[in-house]
Amino acid sequence: MKQWLDQARHRDERDALAKYKEEFYLGDAVYYMDGNSLGLMSRRSEQSMLDVMEDWKNHGIDGWTRGERPWFYMSERVGEMMAGLVGADSHEVLATSSTTMNIHQTIRTLYRPTDERHRILVDDLNFPSDIYAVQSILEDYGYGDGMVKVPSEDGHLLSTERIIDMMDESIALILLPSVLYRSGQVLEMEKITEKAHEKGIIIGFDLCHSIGSVPHQLKEWGVDFAVWCTYKHLNGGPGSVAGLYVNEKHHHHPVSLKGWFGNNKETQFDMAHTFDQAADISQYQVGTPHIFSMAPLLGALEMFTEAGIGNIRRKSLELTDFMMEMIEDALRDHDIDIITPKDHDARGGHILIGHPKAAGINAALKSKGVIPDFRAPSYVRIAPVALYNSFEDVHHTVMILKEIMDDRLYEEFDNKRGVIA
């Protein structure tokens, strides 16, 4: 296996992003491969959090408008920093609330059901919270049976043609993931959006598992709205404030969930009881911004601006290519199934492997300092992240996996799933 180690070291020597690894805290992990669940803390995030706390210490309530990071505009500032990652204009992107709350806010604002056209198209593989939100919206409108799910033929992947075929005249709105959270499949967002609009359907995407690892061109593609979390590939910290995109063509709609931070900032402190809706994406805010849950993003997103999402994507694909090639070679006798598509256009930033003893394998990996995550019933997700994982990290991770399989160490950990995040 020496050729793999030599190859890893050669790639690391010419990796332009290698310097960013020193910016992150590894904690107890030897090889952290779970950035698709929770990204690591960076020194810049730590510092931006401390800076914002210092503003509170020094300015008190005047921190809302004073200093280099006035809190009153922080949601918009962070949104502007994320705009390039999703291919949108700054006035269309905002940091606010949580992913699930942003699903409620956007769908309730843009959904225009009639008895003939009220169904919402989702998929059978999406993260449960998205489904819960859509179901509750439909129930509130009196259309409890209005959810339509695109099925998966193999339980892992979705067919673009099947999605398009299900866009009939009863569909009012579509919500799909950009990257499937289990298999890592990237959907053909541009093509799906084009076909939805041909049929007069509003369409949005959940970017939780793609933002920060896969480039997007939401404005160019005509996507109506998108939501995402910021604690995975964006490294914003646990519970960090979510992101939201709404195409400017929809900014004239009255927002569903009204609150004082969605008010026009010029009149917000008039304290009138008539809502004066902001003209841009700020209208989608509701309550007071969660400043300390946003502050780490000020530092984290600096690195994305510097590194460039195109460069991050290239390294991410190279890392996962290298990992899959190594697994196929080093573990060819162990019936490890690679579920994630190999085609670059169809693969996000993590890979999914399958084995009947996946729970034990996951626990054994953790016992040796490798941090992946388990997905029931028999899968392990592994995410080598471009900003803080090296090719040598990938090599050692696969060699540890080989040791676990060769020596059947997973038997010592059967049924120990570990933390699922």
Side-chain angles (χ1 to χ4, degrees), residues 395-411:
H395 170 270
H396 293 316
T397 294
V398 176
M399 294 309 296
I400 290 170
L401 177 59
K402 175 175 168 55
E403 177 191 356
I404 290 168
M405 301 306 296
D406 285 348
D407 297 340
R408 302 176 69 89
L409 300 179
Y410 52 81
E411 293 179 350

Side-chain angles (χ1 to χ4, degrees), residues 11 40 97 197 213 226 295 359:
R11 291 189 178 195
L40 291 175
S97 196
H197 286 167
S213 66

Side-chain angles (χ1 to χ4, degrees), residues 80-99:
E80 184 177 357
M81 295 175 78
M82 293 189 288
L85 300 178
V86 298
D89 294 333
S90 59
H91 65 276
E92 297 173 307
V93 183
L94 185 70
T96 187
S97 196
S98 67
T99 302

Side-chain angles (χ1 to χ4, degrees), residues 119-332:
R119 299 204 295 174
I120 296 179
L121 183 65
V122 295
D123 68 281
D124 206 30
L125 302 177
N126 207 338
F127 194 76
S129 193
D130 294 34
I131 303 302
Y132 303 157
V134 170
Q135 186 62 50
S136 71
I137 292 166
L138 287 165
E139 289 170 356
D140 287 348
Y141 276 87
Y143 298 118
D145 60 351
M147 182 184 293
V148 182
K149 290 184 180 180
V150 178
S152 168
E153 294 183 3
D154 63 0
H156 300 298
L157 307 176
L158 295 174
S159 161
T160 297
E161 297 311 315
R162 188 66 182 273
I163 293 170
I164 293 170
D165 286 345
M166 295 186 70
M167 297 180 189
D168 62 33
E169 294 182 355
S170 72
I171 303 298
L173 186 142
I174 297 171
L175 176 66
L176 296 170
S178 54
V179 168
L180 302 190
Y181 81 99
R182 285 177 181 266
S183 69
Q185 178 193 10
V186 176
L187 297 190
E188 296 182 86
M189 296 174 66
E190 183 177 11
K191 182 176 182 179
I192 293 168
T193 299
E194 179 184 0
K195 295 300 181 182
H197 286 167
E198 286 178 4
K199 297 175 181 292
I201 302 170
I202 295 289
I203 183 165
F205 291 91
D206 180 337
L207 312 183
C208 282
H209 284 83
S210 62
I211 184 76
S213 66
V214 178
H216 306 81
Q217 294 299 328
L218 300 183
K219 185 69 174 284
E220 179 183 327
W221 299 338
V223 173
D224 294 295
F225 69 96
V227 299
W228 60 89
C229 63
T230 60
Y231 51 79
K232 300 182 190 297
H233 292 284
L234 293 185
N235 311 309
S240 55
V241 173
L244 172 67
Y245 157 83
V246 179
N247 193 298
E248 64 182 343
K249 68 185 177 183
H250 297 300
H251 288 180
H252 66 283
H253 291 300
V255 291
S256 175
L257 305 177
K258 295 177 174 62
W260 81 309
F261 257 82
N263 201 87
N264 180 348
K265 278 183 162 46
E266 294 182 3
T267 62
Q268 183 170 341
F269 283 89
D270 291 352
M271 301 299 182
H273 282 195
T274 300
F275 184 63
D276 180 16
Q277 182 166 307
D280 61 7
I281 190 65
S282 299
Q283 64 190 242
Y284 278 82
Q285 292 184 89
V286 184
T288 303
H290 298 167
I291 300 302
F292 288 163
S293 294
M294 231 186 309
L297 286 165
L298 294 170
L301 291 169
E302 284 181 0
M303 285 181 278
F304 287 87
T305 301
E306 290 176 8
I309 187 62
N311 295 325
I312 290 170
R313 175 60 168 165
R314 277 190 291 274
K315 181 179 176 182
S316 173
L317 288 170
E318 289 174 4
L319 286 167
T320 48
D321 277 341
F322 185 58
M323 177 168 278
M324 289 191 290
E325 289 165 5
M326 268 203 76
I327 289 173
E328 288 178 336
D329 180 37
L331 290 106
R332 57 182 176 270

Side-chain angles (χ1 to χ4, degrees), residues 63-66 69-79 94 261 265-266 285 289 291 294:
W64 284 103
T65 54
R66 291 179 59 186
R69 300 160 296 273
W71 309 331
F72 195 53
Y73 305 99
M74 192 179 289
S75 292
E76 289 82 0
R77 180 178 177 182
V78 174
L94 185 70
F261 257 82
K265 278 183 162 46
E266 294 182 3
Q285 292 184 89
I291 300 302
M294 231 186 309

